[in-house]
Structure formats: structure tokens, C-alpha cells
């Protein structure tokens, strides 16, 4: 074996192209990013684009980046030689090309936005005009894959089946074809992403309504009407091909949900669990034929198949000749950097010439093999939209996703659930759903089965309810068409739960029979049960269960992601936990700091926090620390295997992170860069003796607890909207009467305005308090809502003694529109000098009173000359990336260095002696992007800023009371 490995090392050492060697005459490349994050096109593409930037710079190729998303680290100046934050339209991109004269355009890493733009640039003759060649995929390949009519013809040419379908360009044509093949039918607009405009039509009236929308959404006004294969099994292959016809399947992915639910909304599992080897080899052969026919020979692609579970018939659904959201998942699941290798292929390298970074022995033509199970669960935010239809279909609705890794499906599945940040800790038995299920009558099972037929996002919880109510695997399968193998695994979790409940006192058992207790707990952990679940089952606290587990020496081991199922040594410390035998994570003796990530993207907590985390990693490396990243989001740069020194792909819970802390023993932990997710754990970590860098948990609690914070403002003599803290409905009504309606109601410890509402009437207040279940444990703050007030956002850095205020942003919309939903300008243009001085003074007072160390964000409102403080967040905020790019100063990096060294040294390093935000010459504007088209039935109420919309029409008069109209007058 040793001789074989030495031979492999010798051969591949001769084949691999050296890091500095360049196989292309391309000197400069223009990368088009994916633009703003929307449902269906999220930060997976920023991750891919960032990887491409790094690869090209390593090859000494000039990188020109066009992207208009300020939240991603991709648009930071160090990632490209020239970064253009410009609209992604042919006009602006032509101007960039005219100025920069790139040799090549790489559009395959910017999702549908970049592909569509590349096609437009080609058709307008702009690429030929400036002699720019497209790399990564040809225009012909893009068109053949993205135009569903051309794709259908191509599949027919190579003998592969697709659903019976027809392209239509009018509602009349659609009705005619639908009547021919029968309902239901599926609508798929050409050249769209995330199922935009798509749908399932059940009858003629339904078809008329949905087809009109689909025709509008398609850039070429063409829609494929397809015979339904709802209920079939769905599989994806992530594949790569080079110019020598080397071909690899990077990863097979199986959808937990059947056809009819968009793959972005489906739970997915890697590798595919229910394929026979014969079926897998058939899909592999089909994928290779498709890649050849479409003409992809310098990059990667995602190909989706449907398989009839009754007959074994296979249909080709679609192909994306670019990196996709599944590419990011497959990269993180296998350790195989798809975007990096796709970039090298685009430059002319071949798979056999590119070394695997993780093994350093195998080439990229060596197909990854994994000996673990990966589960992805999407994250939805339906609770933010009361009227939304939360049924899943072929149009994607999820806003983020989590990934979990385990030795088996059950372990990975339960880890993924507790990664979701929905206050659940596994498949039930965590005290969150027992009351709800007991409300049903004697027809419990039948009602649950009917509920399962609706394809709601939380159906996996309802499968548990069905099993507990006595439903069979066949009955659940008929209702959901989820493969029986998955249902059987969920049944095994429920069976294990029932066995655990039979034990009256695990602590007594441990005293009398330690070995038996150890085996029971260890088996539960191998099935993915969290300490929280066990504490609920055995009526103990999580800390008590933890102590017992450690007493019995039941601790997780950590396995490496190595791309080769242990055949070769891994050189990249990239780990997941499991309750197995050998531990492969051997901590170093270096000084180290652990950084907790922000978990899944959701409304209110997106990649702005990942941006800060990545900067923290880079800054700490510069200061000589070993960096340890803990996160569960497969879309982000922070979970790239080469970002931190050591990466743990784990849920952001006390149990999972504390396990890592106890193994690694870092000098300190950073919580304040991951948004609300890690901050909620601050008190628990502190109680366990963990050193926390930055603002203390006590100060965080003062800022987050609305009652304590108002007491602090009183002591500082700072104005805030009048209000009070209520623990009962009567107390709340009394406060509301005292301060008068309208009132702003909000709980403590929330992010992105979750559960916050403006209420104008008493009956609505009572209704709201019932929804949030006001109590002693769940109090609510009731403030006077300041109508017609102007709002400002401030970001600052404090070292405990001095405050560096680096930006005041002015909201274009008036107060009452959440800061994340408001357009903002920097620096402010309408505030008086007196008011700005007051904001600066208040920021300094609050920061010092809270003893902030690091970043702080404070929100102010001004009305009738009075400045009010709305809230303070002693952590990173969503505006840090925007202000960093507006000023050109890396504030996240500065804030990190202040945590580990003398602030005077940091000020000197970044030459910030005389920085004044008022002196900034750059004017920047941030505008939010919404995805309401993906969330049917949501009523978008513009109420407080309807006048802004009216201003956009020529005949609308100015509303002189409105902040936005005053701004327009000024402009």
C-alpha cells in the first residue's frame, strides 16, 4: 500500500501544474456577480464568485469585478483589482469593458443574472466590439441549456426523455395544449431562476391566471407547459467536464421531497440514499451525454432528473451550465471546491492537471467519495408575512438553508433541524409541539394525514405526529410521496424517542448500572438527539444532562472532510461531530480564537454578518492567532475550507459549540460578529467560564432587555419614546392608554423587527399580545410610535474608553419603516449640525456606559428638533459592509483588532487620527430588494411612505410632511 501511495504521489506530482504556472494568454478577466440577494439567488453565488477572484489573482490575472451588492465580502477592494459597484445592465457593463478592456468575461459564477447579461452583451455585439471572449461556457451552450425549447430538442437528439411538453407564447396556446395532455400541468418560464413565474395549474381558470404571470416573468416571453410528474423522485448530479472530455460526478444529491416542490425548497441529502447502483450508473452516463451535447467543456453544471418510483422510468428535468445553489452545497458536503476548479477549467486547465487541495495527492479528476451523510434543510420566514401562502410548490420560497453532517441520515437530519434557528432542537420531543398536537379529536390520524397532503414547509414534524398517532409508513407515503426509506428513518427516530421515555430516571440508572446508562445515551446521540431533547424527555435541565454525559465519558469525536472516504490523508482541518470512535481533530498548542458564525440566512440576518466574520478571521490571522470558525450555513465564504485555520460545520447551539470549545480550549470566543444567533448564547457561555471577547454579556443584556435599556437612558439624560414594560395584557393596555395610540410593540432579544408591530387600536393590541403569548417570561415593550419622525442609523467602534463613530446613515423613508427595509443615504444630507452633534454625543455616552468593546449600532429618530434613541445593538450590524464600502475603511477588521491589541496601535495602523464622517466626499445610497413575487398573496402595504411611490408619477403632488418628499425637493 505504501509503495502504491508513493507511486501516486510521484505520478501526480509530475502531472500537476505548479501554482504559479499559467496555461493561458488571458491577462485580465471580468467577473459578473449575481447582484442583490433575492429568493432563489442568494449568497451561494457570492461564495462562488469570491472563490473565482482568489483563484484568478493567484494566477496573476487581473480581476475586474462588476457587482452591486454591498453586503458581500466579494465586493471588498482586496478581492479584485478593480471593483465596480454598478447596475448590472448592458449599458453599465459596456462602460466597464470600455474602460478596463478585459480579455475575457466569466459569467458562470454569477447565477442567472450574469448568464442572462452575458447573452445580452453578445447579442448587442458588445463583446465582439471590444474583442472580449466568454470563458466558462459558450453562448451556444448557455442558450441550449437555458432555452427550454432548445434543451428539449437537444435531449431528443441524444435519446433522453423529457416530460411531454410544449412552448407557448400566449394564454390561448397554453389552454389548447393543456386540454390535449390533461391537468395538472407545470409552467416553467424560460431564462428565469428559482422557479420565478412557475407554477402548477390544476384547471383552466388556474392556468389562465398563472400563465399570464409566467409569460411576463420570462425575458423571452416563452413558457414551457409540461405534463406533471408530481410525486416522482428527484435527483441532482453536480458534474464537471473539461476540454479533454474528462468528466466527474462531484456529488449526487437526492431530494427528500418528491417532484412538484422546487429543489431549493426541498430537504436534500447527499449522497443519494435510495438509488440502486444500476440507477446511479445510468444517471451518471446520462449526465455525461448531456454535458457533451450541450457543449460544456470548461466548467461545472447541475443536472436534475426525475425517476418514477413505480416503473424506474427516468426523465431529464433541466440543466444549469453554471455553478448553482447546489454547487455550494456539494462543495461544502464533499470538500471539492467546484467554483475554484470551474474557474481553472475556464482558463484552459484540465481536471487531471489540478491538484486536490485537501489530499494534495489526488487530482480533480479523482471523483469525491464520502463516508458520511449530509442533510440540507431550507430556512423559510413565513412568520414575517401573515397572509402568505406557505404551501411549497415549484416556485422557490425559502430564504436560506442549513447543512448538517453525520455518520447516518438520522444524526444529520436532527442536527440540521437544530441548526435552523427556529427554536427547535430535533425532530420533536423538545417541548415545542406537544400541546398543539393534543388539540385534535379522535380523528387525529386522519386529520394529520390530510395536513400532510398540503406540502407545508414543516411536514417533517407532522410525519412524526402521524407516526405517533398510529399512521403506517404506507399511509404517510401515499399522502406525501416521500420515499419510504426516509419515512422509515423518521420512524426509527420516533421509536428511539419512545424507548427513551420508558426510562423513569436516567440518573438513578447511571448510579446503579453505569454501562447500561452509557449505552442508552450514546445510542440516542448516534441517532441525533440533542441534550435539549433528552432534558425534555427526562425532565432535567440541559446542563444536568451535559454533566451526566461527560461523567459517563460520552463526548463527540470529530471527523475530517477529506473527499476520499479516508483513502488518503487530509491536510485541511475541516470537521463534523459524531458519536463514533476515533477522534480526528487534534488541537494545536497555538494561541487561538473561536468565532461563532451567524447560521442560516433569513430576513433580518443575512450575509452582512458573514462579511464581518470573514474579516474577523483575516484580521486575527494577521495578528498571529489561529482561527476556528463554527457555522452551519453552506452558502457563505466563512464556511469555505480555506477561510479559517480550522472549520467546524456544526449547529450554532450551546451544546454543539461548547463541545468544540472544550476540545479546542481557545483563548477566547467572539460572539458579537454573528448577529443575534451567538449573542443569545452569551450568558450560557459565560456561566461555563468561557472568555468572551468584546462587549460583556452583562452589557449585551442591558442593551437587549428593553426595560434595562430605558433605565440606562434615563440615567444618561437621553430622550427615548415614552412607554413601558408589560407582562400582562392589562398592564399593556394601561401603558397604551397613558401614552396614547399609535404604539410600537416589541419583545426583547429580536432581530430584523421580528414580532415588532405598529398598532393603532386597542383591539389590535389585545390580538397581538395573544399572538406573542405575553407573560412574565415573555414581556413586551410598548413605546409611543413617533409619527412623521426622521430616522438615522449610527455605526461606531468603541475600545471601552474612546468612541470612533464612522458613519451616520439617513433613512429616506420616515420612522416606522424598518431600517433593513428603508433606503438609506450616507452621509446625511438633511440633518442640522446641531442634530448631528447630538447624535454623536449620545452615541459616545451610550457606548461608554455599556462598556462596549468592538462594534455598536444605534438607531435614532428625530421629531420637532428632539433626538430620541430607539435601540442600541452592541454587535455587528447589517450596515457595517455598506459603510465600509462607502468610506473605503475596513471597519470590521479594525473592530476585530481592537479586541486583541491596544487601540492606539490600531488607529496608527489604519491612519484614522483625523477621520470624520462629515468630511466624506463620497455619496452612497443603499436600497433594499424584495422578493414579494415569490410569496403569493402577500399584501404589500406602503401606508406610511405611499407618497414616495406617488412622486414617481408625473402628476403626483408633493406631500410636504413626508421625509421622502422633502428629500426629493432637496435633490
Amino acid at each position: 500500500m505504501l509503495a502504491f501511495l508513493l507511486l501516486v504521489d510521484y505520478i501526480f506530482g509530475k502531472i500537476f501544474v505548479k501554482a504559479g504556472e499559467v496555461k493561458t494568454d488571458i491577462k485580465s478577466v471580468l467577473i459578473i456577480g449575481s447582484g442583490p440577494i433575492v429568493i432563489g439567488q442568494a449568497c451561494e453565488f457570492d461564495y462562488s464568485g469570491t472563490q473565482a477572484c482568489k483563484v484568478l489573482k493567484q494566477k496573476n490575472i487581473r480581476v475586474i469585478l462588476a457587482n452591486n451588492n454591498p453586503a458581500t465580502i466579494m465586493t471588498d477592494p482586496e478581492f479584485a483589482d478593480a471593483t465596480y459597484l454598478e447596475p448590472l445592465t448592458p449599458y453599465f457593463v459596456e462602460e466597464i469593458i470600455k474602460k478596463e478592456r478585459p480579455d475575457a468575461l466569466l459569467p458562470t459564477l454569477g447565477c442567472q443574472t450574469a448568464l442572462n447579461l452575458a447573452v445580452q452583451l453578445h447579442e448587442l455585439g458588445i463583446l465582439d466590439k471590444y474583442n472580449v471572449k466568454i470563458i466558462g461556457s459558450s453562448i451556444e451552450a448557455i442558450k441550449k441549456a437555458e432555452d427550454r425549447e432548445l434543451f428539449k430538442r437537444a435531449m431528443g437528439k441524444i435519446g433522453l426523455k423529457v416530460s411531454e411538453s410544449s412552448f407557448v407564447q400566449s394564454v390561448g396556446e397554453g389552454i389548447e395544449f393543456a386540454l390535449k395532455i390533461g391537468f395538472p400541468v407545470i409552467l416553467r418560464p424560460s431564462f428565469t431562476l428559482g422557479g420565478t413565474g412557475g407554477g402548477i395549474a390544476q384547471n383552466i381558470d388556474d392556468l389562465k391566471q398563472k400563465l399570464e404571470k409566467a409569460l411576463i416573468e420570462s425575458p423571452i416571453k416563452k413558457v414551457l407547459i409540461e405534463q406533471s410528474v408530481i410525486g416522482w423522485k428527484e435527483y441532482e448530479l453536480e458534474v464537471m467536464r473539461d476540454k479533454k472530455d474528462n468528466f466527474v460526478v462531484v456529488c449526487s444529491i437526492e431530494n427528500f421531497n418528491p417532484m412538484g416542490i422546487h429543489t431549493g425548497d426541498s430537504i436534500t441529502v447527499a449522497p443519494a440514499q435510495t438509488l440502486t447502483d444500476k440507477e446511479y450508473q445510468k444517471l451518471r452516463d446520462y449526465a455525461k451525454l448531456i454535458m457533451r451535447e450541450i457543449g460544456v467543456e470548461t466548467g461545472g453544471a447541475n443536472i436534475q432528473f426525475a425517476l418514477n418510483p413505480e416503473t424506474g422510468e427516468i426523465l431529464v428535468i433541466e440543466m444549469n451550465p453554471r455553478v448553482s445553489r447546489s454547487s455550494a452545497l456539494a462543495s461544502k458536503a464533499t470538500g471539492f471546491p467546484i467554483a475554484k476548479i470551474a474557474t481553472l477549467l475556464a482558463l484552459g486547465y484540465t481536471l487531471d492537471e489540478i491538484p486536490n487541495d485537501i489530499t494534495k495527492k489526488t487530482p480533480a479528476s479523482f471523483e469525491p467519495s464520502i463516508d458520511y451523510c449530509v442533510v440540507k434543510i431550507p430556512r423559510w420566514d413565513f412568520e414575517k408575512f401573515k397572509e402568505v401562502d406557505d404551501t411549497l410548490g415549484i416556485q422557490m420560497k425559502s430564504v436560506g438553508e442549513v447543512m448538517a453532517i453525520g455518520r447516518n441520515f438520522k444524526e444529520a437530519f436532527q442536527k440540521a433541524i437544530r441548526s435552523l434557528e427556529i427554536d427547535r432542537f430535533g425532530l420533536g420531543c423538545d417541548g415545542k409541539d406537544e400541546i398543539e398536537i393534543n388539540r385534535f379529536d379522535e380523528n387525529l390520524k386522519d386529520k394529520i394525514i390530510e395536513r400532510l397532503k398540503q406540502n407545508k414547509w414543516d411536514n417533517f414534524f407532522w410525519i412524526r405526529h402521524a407516526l405517533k398517532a398510529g399512521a403506517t409508513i404506507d399511509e404517510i407515503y401515499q399522502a406525501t410521496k416521500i420515499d419510504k426509506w426516509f419515512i422509515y428513518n423518521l420512524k426509527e427516530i420516533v421509536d428511539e424517542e419512545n424507548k427513551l421515555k420508558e426510562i423513569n430516571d436516567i440518573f438513578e440508572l447511571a448510579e446503579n448500572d453505569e454501562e447500561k446508562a452509557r449505552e442508552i445515551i450514546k445510542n440516542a446521540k448516534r441517532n441525533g438527539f440533542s441534550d435539549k431533547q433528552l432534558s425534555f424527555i427526562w425532565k432535567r435541565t440541559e446542563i444536568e444532562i451535559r454533566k451526566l454525559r461527560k461523567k459517563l465519558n460520552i463526548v463527540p469525536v470529530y471527523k475530517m472532510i477529506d473527499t476520499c472516504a479516508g483513502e488518503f490523508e487530509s491536510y485541511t482541518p475541516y470537521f463534523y461531530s459524531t458519536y463514533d470512535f476515533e477522534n480526528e481533530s487534534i488541537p494545536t498548542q497555538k494561541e487561538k480564537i473561536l468565532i461563532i458564525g451567524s447560521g442560516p440566512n433569513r430576513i433580518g440576518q443575512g450575509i452582512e454578518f458573514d462579511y464581518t466574520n470573514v474579516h474577523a478571521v483575516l484580521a486575527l490571522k494577521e495578528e498571529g492567532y489561529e482561527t476556528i470558525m463554527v457555522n452551519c450555513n453552506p452558502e457563505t465564504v466563512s464556511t469555505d475550507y480555506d477561510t479559517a485555520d480550522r472549520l467546524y460545520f456544526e449547529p450554532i447551539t450551546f451544546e454543539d459549540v461548547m463541545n468544540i470549545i472544550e476540545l479546542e480550549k481557545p483563548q477566547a470566543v467572539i460572539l458579537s460578529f454573528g448577529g443575534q444567533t451567538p449573542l443569545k448564547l452569551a450568558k450560557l457561555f459565560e456561566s461555563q467560564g468561557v472568555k468572551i471577547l468584546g462587549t460583556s454579556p452583562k452589557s449585551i443584556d442591558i442593551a437587549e432587555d428593553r426595560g434595562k435599556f430605558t433605565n440606562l437612558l434615563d440615567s444618561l439624560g437621553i430622550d427615548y419614546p415614552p412607554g413601558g414594560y408589560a407582562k400582562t395584557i392589562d398592564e399593556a393596555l394601561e401603558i397604551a392608554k397613558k401614552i396614547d395610540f399609535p404604539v410600537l410593540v416589541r419583545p426583547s432579544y429580536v432581530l430584523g423587527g421580528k414580532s415588532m408591530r405598529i398598532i393603532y387600536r386597542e383591539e389590535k393590541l389585545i390580538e397581538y399580545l395573544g399572538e406573542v403569548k405575553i407573560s412574565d417570561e415573555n414581556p413586551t415593550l410598548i413605546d409611543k410610535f413617533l409619527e412623521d419622525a426622521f430616522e438615522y442609523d449610527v455605526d461606531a467602534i468603541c475600545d471601552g474608553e474612546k468612541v470612533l463613530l464612522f458613519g451616520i446613515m439617513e433613512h429616506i423613508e420616515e420612522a416606522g419603516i424598518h431600517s433593513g427595509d428603508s433606503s438609506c443615504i450616507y452621509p446625511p444630507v438633511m440633518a442640522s449640525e446641531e442634530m448631528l452633534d447630538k447624535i454623536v454625543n449620545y452615541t459616545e455616552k451610550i457606548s461608554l456606559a455599556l462598556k462596549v468593546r468592538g462594534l455598536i449600532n444605534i438607531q435614532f429618530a428625530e421629531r420637532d428638533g428632539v433626538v430620541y434613541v430607539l435601540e442600541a445593538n452592541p454587535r455587528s450590524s447589517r450596515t457595517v459592509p455598506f459603510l465600509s464600502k462607502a468610506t473605503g475603511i475596513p471597519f470590521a477588521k479594525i473592530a476585530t483588532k481592537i479586541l486583541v491589541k491596544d487601540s492606539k496601535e490600531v488607529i496608527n495602523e489604519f491612519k484614522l487620527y483625523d477621520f470624520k464622517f462629515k468630511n466624506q466626499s463620497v455619496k452612497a445610497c443603499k436600497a433594499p430588494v424584495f422578493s414579494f413575487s415569490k410569496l403569493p398573496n402577500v399584501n404589500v402595504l406602503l401606508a406610511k411612505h405611499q407618497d414616495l411611490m406617488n412622486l414617481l408619477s408625473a402628476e403626483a403632488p408633493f406631500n410636504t410632511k413626508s421625509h421622502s418628499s422633502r428629500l426629493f425637493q432637496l435633490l
Side-chain angles (χ1 to χ4, degrees):
M1 186 61 169
L2 179 60
F4 169 73
L5 292 176
L6 289 171
L7 179 63
V8 168
D9 192 22
Y10 172 77
I11 293 172
F12 288 152
K14 295 291 184 184
I15 293 174
F16 291 156
V17 177
K18 300 293 185 291
E21 187 178 334
V22 180
K23 285 177 60 71
T24 177
D25 58 354
I26 295 172
K27 303 301 179 190
S28 60
V29 173
L30 170 62
I31 295 177
I32 300 179
S34 56
I37 286 177
V38 291
I39 292 177
Q41 185 169 289
C43 60
E44 311 97 331
F45 303 99
D46 292 306
Y47 153 75
S48 299
T50 302
Q51 225 176 42
C53 289
K54 289 194 288 188
V55 171
L56 292 171
K57 291 194 83 170
Q58 286 168 4
K59 296 296 179 185
N60 296 316
I61 293 171
R62 178 173 169 77
V63 180
I64 303 132
L65 173 65
N67 200 2
N68 52 22
N69 187 338
T72 168
I73 199 162
M74 179 191 192
T75 51
D76 259 22
E78 59 260 50
F79 284 89
D81 297 290
T83 301
Y84 289 86
L85 282 156
E86 297 290 342
L88 297 179
T89 66
Y91 170 80
F92 283 98
V93 175
E94 181 181 7
E95 291 300 306
I96 296 168
I97 291 173
K98 188 191 300 183
K99 181 175 184 294
E100 293 287 347
R101 297 300 174 115
D103 298 320
L105 169 68
L106 182 58
T108 51
L109 302 163
C111 200
Q112 205 67 43
T113 297
L115 278 192
N116 290 354
L117 187 50
V119 172
Q120 288 177 288
L121 292 168
H122 168 76
E123 291 178 344
L124 291 169
I126 293 169
L127 299 181
D128 287 339
K129 179 180 177 181
Y130 298 99
N131 196 28
V132 179
K133 65 180 178 180
I134 286 187
I135 58 174
S137 187
S138 66
I139 287 293
E140 292 72 24
I142 294 170
K143 286 185 174 180
K144 201 184 282 190
E146 295 292 334
D147 187 309
R148 295 187 184 275
E149 187 169 11
L150 295 177
F151 184 69
K152 180 183 174 184
R153 287 181 200 159
M155 294 305 97
K157 183 179 175 183
I158 56 177
L160 300 184
K161 293 181 181 178
V162 295
S163 296
E164 186 177 352
S165 59
S166 178
F167 285 89
V168 302
Q169 293 183 288
S170 71
V171 173
E173 288 178 31
I175 292 172
E176 184 181 343
F177 181 72
L179 291 172
K180 178 182 172 185
I181 62 172
F183 289 95
V185 294
I186 294 176
L187 311 183
R188 300 185 188 275
S190 291
F191 283 89
T192 64
L193 179 79
T196 299
I200 301 169
Q202 303 289 346
N203 51 53
I204 289 179
D205 289 338
D206 197 22
L207 177 62
K208 285 178 182 176
Q209 180 184 353
K210 290 175 178 174
L211 184 52
E212 282 178 1
K213 181 183 178 186
L215 287 166
I216 291 169
E217 294 288 355
S218 171
I220 60 173
K221 309 305 175 195
K222 188 184 288 187
V223 176
L224 181 72
I225 297 189
E226 190 174 82
Q227 191 173 32
S228 170
V229 288
I230 293 171
W232 288 31
K233 293 162 71 171
E234 186 169 3
Y235 298 92
E236 298 175 67
L237 293 187
E238 285 296 324
V239 296
M240 305 199 84
R241 179 173 178 260
D242 65 23
K243 62 187 181 183
K244 289 184 181 176
D245 200 31
N246 291 316
F247 171 84
V248 293
V249 176
V250 177
C251 189
S252 64
I253 300 173
E254 178 168 0
N255 284 21
F256 176 93
N257 303 87
M259 287 293 298
I261 293 177
H262 191 281
T263 183
D265 274 352
S266 177
I267 297 169
T268 58
V269 185
Q273 301 291 304
T274 69
L275 274 177
T276 64
D277 183 61
K278 185 177 179 181
E279 288 170 333
Y280 172 72
Q281 295 303 333
K282 194 179 286 187
L283 293 186
R284 192 181 186 284
D285 292 342
Y286 289 176
K288 190 170 185 178
L289 284 172
I290 293 167
M291 291 288 275
R292 282 178 182 162
E293 174 57 30
I294 297 299
V296 176
E297 57 180 26
T298 55
N302 167 268
I303 306 175
Q304 295 168 28
F305 298 94
L307 186 149
N308 187 325
E310 309 298 330
T311 66
E313 181 185 2
I314 295 173
L315 299 179
V316 181
I317 302 302
E318 67 178 359
M319 174 208 191
N320 296 303
R322 53 166 169 78
V323 299
S324 65
R325 77 179 60 82
S326 297
S327 302
L329 179 73
S331 295
K332 306 295 172 72
T334 62
F336 188 98
I338 292 173
K340 175 180 180 179
I341 293 168
T343 304
L344 290 170
L345 295 182
L347 293 176
Y349 294 87
T350 55
L351 288 164
D352 54 307
E353 295 173 327
I354 303 169
N356 181 320
D357 289 349
I358 287 181
T359 66
K360 301 190 186 302
K361 297 260 190 323
T362 56
S365 55
F366 191 93
E367 288 193 345
S369 176
I370 59 180
D371 54 356
Y372 46 81
C373 182
V374 177
V375 173
K376 175 214 85 178
I377 301 182
R379 164 66 198 250
W380 296 269
D381 264 343
F382 292 130
E383 71 272 13
K384 290 284 180 76
F385 306 105
K386 197 173 180 182
E387 308 89 350
V388 72
D389 174 11
D390 61 352
T391 305
L392 305 182
I394 70 166
Q395 182 164 279
M396 186 174 163
K397 297 178 180 179
S398 64
V399 296
E401 62 190 29
V402 298
M403 184 182 102
I405 311 171
R407 295 302 275 182
N408 57 58
F409 171 75
K410 296 187 288 290
E411 182 180 38
F413 186 71
Q414 294 224 77
K415 283 174 74 175
I417 291 174
R418 68 178 185 261
S419 298
L420 280 170
E421 284 289 307
I422 57 172
D423 203 27
R424 301 303 302 267
F425 294 90
L427 186 67
C429 66
D430 56 2
K432 305 295 180 181
D433 58 5
E434 309 302 318
I435 296 173
E436 178 184 5
I437 199 64
N438 288 334
R439 291 177 184 164
F440 290 101
D441 56 25
E442 70 243 10
N443 298 318
L444 175 62
K445 186 184 81 170
D446 294 338
K447 290 192 173 182
I448 294 173
I449 291 294
E450 285 304 309
R451 170 64 166 69
L452 283 172
K453 291 178 182 178
Q454 296 176 41
N455 284 334
K456 300 288 187 178
W457 73 268
D458 59 350
N459 262 11
F460 51 90
F461 288 124
W462 287 85
I463 290 174
R464 171 179 175 267
H465 297 332
L467 290 166
K468 291 177 80 69
T472 66
I473 288 175
D474 281 340
E475 287 174 321
I476 296 171
Y477 169 72
Q478 289 303 326
T480 63
K481 294 302 179 182
I482 293 170
D483 191 273
K484 293 178 185 179
W485 185 89
F486 292 117
I487 301 171
Y488 184 78
N489 270 266
L490 299 193
K491 183 179 184 300
E492 286 188 327
I493 293 174
V494 173
D495 291 344
E496 179 67 18
E497 174 194 338
N498 293 334
K499 287 180 188 175
L500 294 171
K501 285 179 176 176
E502 291 172 5
I503 300 161
N504 292 324
D505 191 339
I506 190 67
F507 288 81
E508 184 181 335
L509 179 62
E511 289 292 328
N512 299 324
D513 191 341
E514 192 173 282
E515 192 55 42
K516 185 176 181 182
R518 181 182 293 110
E519 190 54 38
I520 288 168
I521 296 175
K522 198 158 194 175
N523 193 58
K525 302 305 283 186
R526 285 172 173 164
N527 281 284
F529 281 81
S530 63
D531 287 353
K532 274 272 193 182
Q533 288 172 292
L534 297 181
S535 71
F536 174 75
I537 290 170
W538 290 325
K539 297 177 175 58
R540 296 284 188 143
T541 67
E542 181 184 10
I543 296 296
E544 285 176 317
I545 296 296
R546 181 178 190 84
K547 286 179 179 176
L548 175 63
R549 191 164 51 72
K550 290 173 66 179
K551 179 184 174 183
L552 297 174
N553 196 29
I554 303 170
V555 293
V557 298
Y558 293 89
K559 298 289 185 181
M560 270 191 174
I561 302 293
D562 58 17
T563 77
C564 60
E567 286 186 49
F568 295 92
E569 182 182 356
S570 172
Y571 291 89
T572 304
Y574 171 16
F575 306 104
Y576 68 95
S577 71
T578 186
Y579 284 81
D580 208 331
F581 299 104
E582 181 188 8
N583 179 48
E584 297 174 1
S585 175
I586 311 301
T588 69
Q589 298 305 308
K590 299 175 182 176
E591 272 199 300
K592 62 188 77 168
I593 293 176
L594 184 143
I595 302 156
I596 302 179
S598 55
N601 285 2
R602 60 269 203 195
I603 296 172
Q605 186 163 307
I607 56 164
E608 305 93 339
F609 297 96
D610 200 74
Y611 167 95
T612 315
N613 278 322
V614 174
H615 264 300
V617 168
L618 299 176
L620 291 170
K621 282 184 175 182
E622 286 180 11
E623 295 303 318
Y625 290 93
E626 180 179 77
T627 54
I628 304 165
M629 172 58 66
V630 184
N631 205 355
C632 55
N633 187 339
E635 304 177 67
T636 57
V637 176
S638 72
T639 54
D640 206 353
Y641 68 92
D642 63 355
T643 296
D645 295 307
R646 296 168 75 80
L647 169 66
Y648 288 86
F649 222 107
E650 292 292 298
I652 309 297
T653 69
F654 169 72
E655 174 188 350
D656 296 285
V657 178
M658 195 66 205
N659 287 339
I660 298 166
I661 291 171
E662 289 176 342
L663 173 72
E664 288 281 359
K665 296 180 173 56
Q667 272 64 43
V669 173
I670 293 178
L671 300 172
S672 54
F673 293 164
Q676 209 65 37
T677 300
L679 275 192
K680 290 187 292 188
L681 303 174
K683 285 183 183 178
L684 269 173
F685 285 131
E686 188 180 48
S687 72
Q688 299 301 302
V690 176
K691 182 182 178 183
I692 297 171
L693 279 184
T695 307
S696 71
K698 182 181 178 182
S699 291
I700 292 169
D701 184 55
I702 292 171
E704 294 289 344
D705 186 304
R706 305 290 178 181
K708 293 176 183 176
F709 185 59
T710 53
N711 290 337
L712 176 72
L713 295 178
D714 282 333
S715 70
L716 297 173
I718 295 174
D719 290 311
Y720 56 88
Y725 217 41
K727 296 180 179 180
T728 66
I729 291 177
D730 287 341
E731 287 179 9
L733 291 173
E734 187 179 336
I735 293 167
K737 286 175 184 174
K738 183 178 178 181
I739 61 177
D740 200 11
F741 289 97
V743 295
L744 179 68
V745 289
R746 49 186 168 174
S748 298
Y749 285 93
V750 297
L751 185 78
K754 185 178 179 181
S755 299
M756 291 172 64
R757 204 168 299 169
I758 300 167
I759 292 177
Y760 285 81
R761 298 193 305 278
E762 189 174 292
E763 60 269 26
K764 288 295 181 181
L765 178 59
I766 295 170
E767 182 183 314
Y768 166 84
L769 296 170
E771 288 175 11
V772 299
K773 298 181 176 62
I774 188 172
S775 66
D776 287 350
E777 294 74 34
N778 188 35
T780 298
L781 182 69
I782 299 162
D783 287 336
K784 174 67 178 174
F785 173 61
L786 302 174
E787 292 189 286
D788 299 321
F790 305 156
E791 192 166 346
Y792 299 86
D793 249 81
V794 173
D795 281 293
I797 298 173
C798 181
D799 65 358
E801 296 179 2
K802 292 183 180 177
V803 178
L804 173 66
L805 191 149
F806 59 84
I808 297 178
M809 292 194 318
E810 184 169 16
H811 293 207
I812 293 178
E813 286 85 7
E814 61 204 60
I817 306 299
H818 191 278
S819 61
D821 280 354
S822 177
S823 297
C824 298
I825 52 174
Y826 171 83
V829 297
M830 296 179 64
S832 66
E833 285 294 318
E834 181 184 357
M835 190 171 70
L836 291 176
D837 289 342
K838 192 172 283 190
I839 288 174
V840 171
N841 178 253
Y842 286 179
T843 300
E844 290 175 347
K845 280 186 174 182
I846 293 169
S847 301
L848 295 174
L850 287 172
K851 298 182 175 66
V852 169
R853 192 164 181 88
L855 291 163
I856 183 170
N857 168 268
I858 305 178
Q859 291 168 31
F860 296 89
E862 181 269 330
R863 190 176 73 172
D864 300 330
V866 180
V867 175
Y868 301 89
V869 171
L870 300 180
E871 62 178 83
N873 301 298
R875 53 164 171 79
S876 175
S877 72
R878 72 179 60 81
T879 50
V880 167
F882 169 74
L883 284 172
S884 295
K885 280 149 196 184
T887 61
I889 298 173
F891 293 108
K893 185 175 283 190
I894 293 166
T896 304
K897 293 200 173 193
I898 278 176
L899 299 182
V900 295
K901 65 192 289 189
D902 185 84
S903 56
K904 290 178 183 175
E905 293 180 45
V906 180
I907 297 292
N908 289 335
E909 180 182 346
F910 291 94
K911 299 180 175 58
L912 294 174
Y913 328 100
D914 301 316
F915 175 75
K916 297 286 184 186
F917 73 91
K918 297 180 187 178
N919 298 337
Q920 293 300 296
S921 58
V922 173
K923 302 293 187 290
C925 180
K926 172 185 80 75
V929 178
F930 304 93
S931 295
F932 290 124
S933 63
K934 293 288 181 71
L935 301 170
N937 303 329
V938 171
N939 294 319
V940 186
L941 301 175
L942 299 172
K944 299 302 294 180
H945 57 288
Q946 184 63 54
D947 53 284
L948 173 61
M949 306 306 293
N950 290 339
L951 284 171
L952 302 181
S953 65
E955 71 278 6
F958 281 98
N959 175 347
T960 54
K961 271 192 168 184
S962 163
H963 188 184
S964 44
S965 60
R966 281 172 58 185
L967 179 65
F968 269 81
Q969 286 176 327
L970 180 69
L971 295 175

